[in-house]
């Protein structure tokens, strides 16, 4: 009998992993710490299986510890008798509320078995949403930028909790960064925004990320040579016979034969 910490991914129900979906469907109870994670979980389980937990919106550590002890006391008996899941957006081990529950369970209910089911985190999904490629060998730092903070230093940073984009933007630009913002990326709740204008997302929203890259950063990728070869090939083709007639020395006829051969599965090692 096990307590599973299940990462739901960034917010779209179809980005839950196959493993995560299986756990949700087989669990006796699925606990949700908030409205957004509950909405995603309901796409995979019946509402009768959902167990809601109440956590106060406060920074008072005593109140927070009391809330986590109460949650652990609610969950532990069910985890001893069956399988339960605690769901969280993103990944359970990446800036997640599940860490608090895990530590509380370890302290007060050590007999409960725990297992983590990783999920797609917005910290990585941002690259697809923003059209950014983090190539092999590149460095990327993860920083928090709440309340207008603008950490600097590394060539590339992904900033989360960007709750005051204009203030963060000012500091990053002064430090020589190009910045792109993404709000509610891959989330079904709310409007998804990708922009380089901080004024478009000047209202506070916890689910806002920023990607900052040094303006002077130049990356020479090995495969960039392929683009150079293509340009050279295009130039050579333009210098050749321009009549449009097939030529026998590697022109249109040869290209057509090669394409037809590939379609028939006869490409050998060149597929």
């Amino acid at each position: 009998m096990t307590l599973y910490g299940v990462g739901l991914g960034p917010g779209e129900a179809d980005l839950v992993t196959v493993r995560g979906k299986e756990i949700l469907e087989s669990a006796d109870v699925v606990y949700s710490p908030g409205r957004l994670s509950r909405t995603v979980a309901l796409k995979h389980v019946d509402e009768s299986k959902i167990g809601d937990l109440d956590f106060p919106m406060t920074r008072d550590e005593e109140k927070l510890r009391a809330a986590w002890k109460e949650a652990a006391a609610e969950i532990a008996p069910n985890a001893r008798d069956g399988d339960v899941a605690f769901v969280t957006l993103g990944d359970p081990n990446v800036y997640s509320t599940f860490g608090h529950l895990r530590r509380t369970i370890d302290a007060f209910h050590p007999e409960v078995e725990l297992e983590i089911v990783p999920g797609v985190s917005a910290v990585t999904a941002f690259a697809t949403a923003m059209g950014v490629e983090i190539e092999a060998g590149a460095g990327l730092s993860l920083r928090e930028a709440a309340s207008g903070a603008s950490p600097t230093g590394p060539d590339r940073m992904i900033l989360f909790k960007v709750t005051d984009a204009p203030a963060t933007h000012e500091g990053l630009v002064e430090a020589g960064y190009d910045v792109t913002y993404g709000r509610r990326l891959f989330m079904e709740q709310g409007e998804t925004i990708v922009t380089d204008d901080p004024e478009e997302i000047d209202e506070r929203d916890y689910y806002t990320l920023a990607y900052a890259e040094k303006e002077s950063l130049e990356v020479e990728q090995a495969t960039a040579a392929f683009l150079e070869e293509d340009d050279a090939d295009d130039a050579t083709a333009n210098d050749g016979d321009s009549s449009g007639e097939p030529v026998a020395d590697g022109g249109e006829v040869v290209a057509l034969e090669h394409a037809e051969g590939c379609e028939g599965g006869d490409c050998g090692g060149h597929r």
Side-chain angles (χ1 to χ4, degrees):
M1 306 308 175
T2 305
L3 166 61
Y4 294 91
V6 179
L8 296 177
E12 290 184 351
D14 58 357
L15 287 177
V16 175
T17 66
V18 174
R19 171 69 171 159
K21 180 178 174 64
E22 290 174 347
I23 293 298
L24 294 180
E25 292 174 344
S26 64
D28 300 300
V29 186
V30 176
Y31 288 100
S32 166
R35 179 176 55 85
L36 296 182
S37 57
R38 189 181 196 275
T39 300
V40 177
L42 282 172
K43 298 293 182 68
H44 301 283
V45 300
D46 188 79
E47 189 167 8
S48 62
K49 290 178 61 173
I50 299 291
D52 291 316
L53 299 169
D54 184 29
F55 299 109
M57 297 296 291
T58 178
R59 294 186 178 183
D60 187 312
E61 293 187 356
E62 286 297 326
K63 290 182 179 179
L64 288 172
R65 281 194 287 266
W68 284 110
K69 287 179 67 175
E70 184 176 337
E74 160 75 19
I75 292 171
N78 291 322
R80 285 193 293 265
D81 297 336
D83 288 337
V84 303
F86 181 94
V87 296
T88 178
L89 292 182
D91 185 277
N93 278 346
V94 181
Y95 294 101
S96 166
T97 55
F98 182 74
H100 298 294
L101 177 63
R102 177 181 55 77
R103 287 186 287 273
T104 307
I105 289 286
D106 285 343
F108 296 98
H109 308 278
E111 75 283 0
V112 173
E113 296 290 331
L114 289 132
E115 182 176 326
I116 306 294
V117 181
V120 177
S121 171
V123 171
T124 53
F126 87 92
T128 297
M130 295 182 176
V132 173
E133 179 190 359
I134 308 300
E135 71 281 352
L140 179 67
S141 294
L142 175 62
R143 301 292 178 88
E144 183 175 334
S147 303
S150 51
T152 60
D155 289 338
R156 302 175 185 83
M157 297 184 294
I158 177 66
L159 310 177
F160 69 106
K161 298 184 183 179
V162 183
T163 54
D164 187 346
T168 294
H169 190 82
E170 182 178 358
L172 291 173
V173 169
E174 288 180 359
Y177 287 91
D178 289 322
V179 192
T180 305
Y181 299 90
R183 171 165 292 174
R184 295 186 175 253
L185 304 176
F186 295 106
M187 293 184 70
E188 296 177 352
Q189 309 87 359
E191 180 186 6
T192 295
I193 301 174
V194 176
T195 180
D196 58 6
D197 181 0
E199 299 299 330
E200 290 188 31
I201 51 173
D202 60 354
E203 73 279 7
R204 180 184 178 89
D205 191 316
Y206 176 87
Y207 296 103
T208 302
L209 297 176
Y211 174 66
E213 183 177 288
K214 282 288 183 66
E215 294 175 351
S216 58
L217 186 64
E218 295 183 3
V219 179
E220 183 65 31
Q221 299 173 338
T223 46
F226 296 150
L227 299 177
E228 297 172 2
E229 291 175 5
D230 286 344
D231 291 341
D233 290 343
D234 290 343
T236 301
N238 291 334
D239 290 340
D241 189 296
S242 60
S243 66
E245 295 295 323
V247 290
D249 61 348
E252 294 180 19
V253 170
V254 173
L256 179 61
E257 289 175 348
H258 180 70
E260 290 175 343
C262 285
E263 187 175 347
D266 192 26
C267 285
H270 299 285
R271 286 182 294 178

